[in-house]
């Protein structure tokens, strides 16, 4: 049976309410008999729900009604025959015009740098939004000049070491110590480098180092080589991080403002006794969407035993307090099928959570590849390389799409599972994916497709 | 089939377990769930949903300490990760 025909809802109530697990199975509207033409929406129409602001600063109530747009026809569906689609170099390089971009949410944040059209984005072989500065440019930047000048002679002296018989050992050691983003930058730079082309001046040192690191890391280690000075390896890795590894994430501290107050830190405990940290975001007044593995982990006893939800958490501050889930939901594709593309779920909170304040919620949207590819998306969540719990965000264009997933070069870390990936469409924030996996080739989200959309909308009304 | 990295985080100087450290996968042969484990009072954690191969595991302690190891899966015994805090004093002219 085709899993796409059915959208399963599997629910679990926490042990305090008896721990009952129920399963219902509902036939997907996509497989229903075709609607009469008069009831069919135009093929190009998308599915969306409205973004809801929530209470104003004075916590005045006044919710807007939420409604669905018309359904798309059965023939239109991300699952229907589309394969892997990738944004072209031209698309990635183009600036966004005509409507406000989601990146505007980050532009006022300290430390944020916008990548202008034509620079910083490259084609499918790698993202030059991850572009490496040449060493000369790095030296011209203010603030870190002295430190970078100090490291460069050391790195230049490292070149003959990497070229020698101990090169593979040193290269493996240095690469293993680099942060994931720095490693990715180096690998992307290697893919983009053209044979014979050499940077001028000090940039040539960095280029040479990158080529040697990349090539020697994959060579077998010569058993006759003696031990390598680990201090040298550590210093080399530190130097590379200083010169290359710029972190494009920005910390979001105004977490009581829209939209950040809708993003929640999660502290999750499973029956195994193990505890995890994740992220969720409001899709209804008392309902969050998150990754399926934030509510159900197959190897840790299944359904989470306890989920603490902290909206807008900012360091140690919990501006709205915290609440514990009363119900968890997911879908059969995750709970039974363990499919990454079905790795999403929801958390239901008690009606009196957060003293009844309405924090608002994100809109949801199903869009075609034409709309999504090379569209700037924002992902904000609680990464595990920062203290619990700091909210960090980043914006990048969606670089690829499959029928059920979206792929992007937004930097993420463990702890950000469950973050919403949102764009701006007609001025409203629409979540188009639920982030759940990290990979060197590109981080990914469950794409909000028609069945996912319908499931999320149903949950949002709980 | 899913495999698991499980182990213990300890202070690199004292050998004592570190509670509430964040442990996450930062590299490997394929995608990994972007959830982070929090160590318990014994410093123990588990990260599942991984396939065979060499995975990089990074730890961030609540006091800013860090540590990282590479783990080959499948693995049948726990890994111990020591975290260290970088310390330095400013240069004085």
């Amino acid at each position: 049976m085709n899993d796409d025909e059915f959208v399963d809802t599997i629910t679990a109530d926490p042990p305090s309410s008896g721990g009952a697990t129920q399963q219902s199975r509902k036939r997907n509207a996509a497989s229903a008999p075709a609607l009469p033409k008069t009831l069919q929406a135009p093929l190009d129409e998308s599915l969306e729900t409205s973004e809801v602001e929530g209470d104003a600063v004075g916590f005045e109530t006044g919710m807007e009604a939420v409604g669905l747009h018309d359904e798309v026809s059965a023939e239109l569906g991300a699952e229907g025959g589309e394969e892997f689609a990738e944004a072209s170099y031209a698309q990635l390089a183009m600036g966004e015009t005509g409507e406000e971009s989601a990146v505007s949410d980050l532009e006022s944040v300290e430390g944020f740098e916008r990548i202008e059209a034509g620079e910083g984005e490259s084609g499918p072989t790698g993202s030059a939004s991850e572009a490496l500065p040449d060493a000369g440019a790095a030296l011209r930047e203010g603030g870190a000049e002295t430190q970078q000048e100090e490291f460069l002679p050391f790195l230049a002296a490292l070149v003959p070491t990497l070229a020698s018989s101990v090169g593979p050992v040193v290269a493996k050691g240095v690469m293993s110590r680099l942060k994931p983003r720095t490693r990715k930058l180096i690998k992307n730079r290697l893919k983009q480098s053209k044979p014979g082309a050499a940077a001028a001046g000090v940039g040539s040192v960095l280029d040479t180092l990158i080529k040697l690191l990349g090539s020697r890391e994959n060579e077998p280690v010569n058993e006759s080589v003696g031990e390598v000075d680990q201090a040298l390896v550590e210093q080399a890795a530190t130097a590379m991080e200083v010169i290359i590894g710029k972190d494009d994430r920005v910390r979001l501290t105004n977490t009581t403002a829209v939209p950040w107050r809708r993003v929640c830190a999660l502290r999750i405990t499973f029956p195994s006794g193990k505890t995890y940290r994740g992220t969720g975001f409001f899709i209804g007044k008392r309902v969050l969407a998150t990754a399926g593995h934030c509510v159900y982990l197959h190897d840790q006893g299944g359904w989470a035993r306890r989920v603490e939800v902290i909206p807008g958490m900012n360091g140690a501050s919990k501006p709205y307090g915290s609440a514990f889930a009363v119900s968890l939901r997911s879908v059969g594709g995750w709970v039974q099928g363990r499919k990454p593309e079905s790795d999403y779920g929801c958390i239901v909170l008690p009606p009196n959570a957060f003293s009844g304040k309405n924090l608002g919620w994100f809109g949801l949207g199903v869009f075609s590849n034409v709309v999504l590819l090379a569209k700037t998306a924002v992902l904000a969540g609680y990464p595990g390389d920062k203290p619990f719990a700091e909210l960090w965000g980043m914006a990048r264009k969606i670089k690829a799409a499959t029928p059920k997933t979206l792929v992007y070069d937004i930097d993420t870390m463990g702890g950000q599972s469950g973050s919403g990936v949102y764009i701006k469409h007609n001025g409203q924030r629409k979540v188009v994916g639920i982030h759940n996996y990290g990979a060197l080739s590109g981080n990914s989200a469950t794409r909000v497709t028609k069945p996912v959309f319908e499931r999320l909308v149903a949950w949002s009304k709980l | 089939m899913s495999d698991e990295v499980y182990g213990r985080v300890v202070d690199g100087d004292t050998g004592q377990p570190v509670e509430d450290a964040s442990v996450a996968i930062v590299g490997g042969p394929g995608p990994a769930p972007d959830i982070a484990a929090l160590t318990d009072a014994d410093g123990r954690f588990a990260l599942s949903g991984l396939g065979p191969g060499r995975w990089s595991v990074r730890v961030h302690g609540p006091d800013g300490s860090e540590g990282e190891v590479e783990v080959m899966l499948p693995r049948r015994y726990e890994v111990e990760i020591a975290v260290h805090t970088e310390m330095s004093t400013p240069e004085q002219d």
Side-chain angles (χ1 to χ4, degrees), chain A residues 41-47 72-73 76 366 368 371:
Chain A
L43 282 176
D44 291 334
E45 188 161 0
S46 303
L47 273 176
V72 295
S73 68
L76 183 70
V366 177
S368 68
V371 171

Side-chain angles (χ1 to χ4, degrees), chain A residues 268-441:
Chain A
I268 312 152
T269 303
F270 288 93
S272 64
K274 298 287 190 292
T275 302
Y276 297 82
R277 51 186 290 186
T279 304
F281 60 96
F282 280 103
I283 56 171
K285 189 173 181 187
R286 293 291 171 259
V287 180
L288 281 74
T290 186
H293 59 253
C294 287
V295 298
Y296 190 100
L297 259 186
H298 302 79
D299 299 326
Q300 300 303 325
W303 292 105
R305 193 175 64 191
R306 190 174 77 162
V307 180
E308 183 183 10
V309 176
I310 311 135
M313 191 165 182
N314 182 22
S317 168
K318 301 179 182 180
Y320 305 103
S322 71
F324 290 89
V326 295
S327 180
L328 307 171
R329 311 289 168 105
S330 187
V331 292
W334 172 246
V335 174
Q336 291 165 349
R338 220 163 173 167
K339 295 183 177 181
E341 63 268 26
S342 300
D343 190 347
Y344 69 103
C346 96
I347 297 165
V348 184
L349 297 170
N352 61 344
F354 316 121
S355 304
K357 294 183 187 64
N358 179 11
L359 302 177
W361 55 85
F362 283 94
L364 303 166
V366 177
F367 298 102
S368 68
N369 289 350
V370 170
V371 171
L372 289 178
L373 283 179
K375 184 81 170 176
T376 297
V378 169
L379 190 161
Y382 291 92
D385 62 335
K386 304 297 181 187
F388 188 82
E390 292 180 359
L391 183 63
W392 287 74
M394 186 167 162
R396 278 292 183 274
K397 292 183 177 178
I398 295 169
K399 72 173 186 181
T402 74
K404 298 180 183 178
T405 61
L406 299 174
V407 184
Y408 35 84
D409 281 332
I410 297 171
D411 291 339
T412 65
M413 270 292 288
Q416 285 182 277
S417 273
S419 301
V421 180
Y422 75 87
I423 64 171
K424 272 195 178 174
H425 187 72
N426 295 333
Q428 283 227 327
R429 298 176 187 88
K430 307 287 183 180
V431 167
V432 295
I434 301 167
H435 174 72
N436 39 28
Y437 289 86
L440 286 176
S441 57

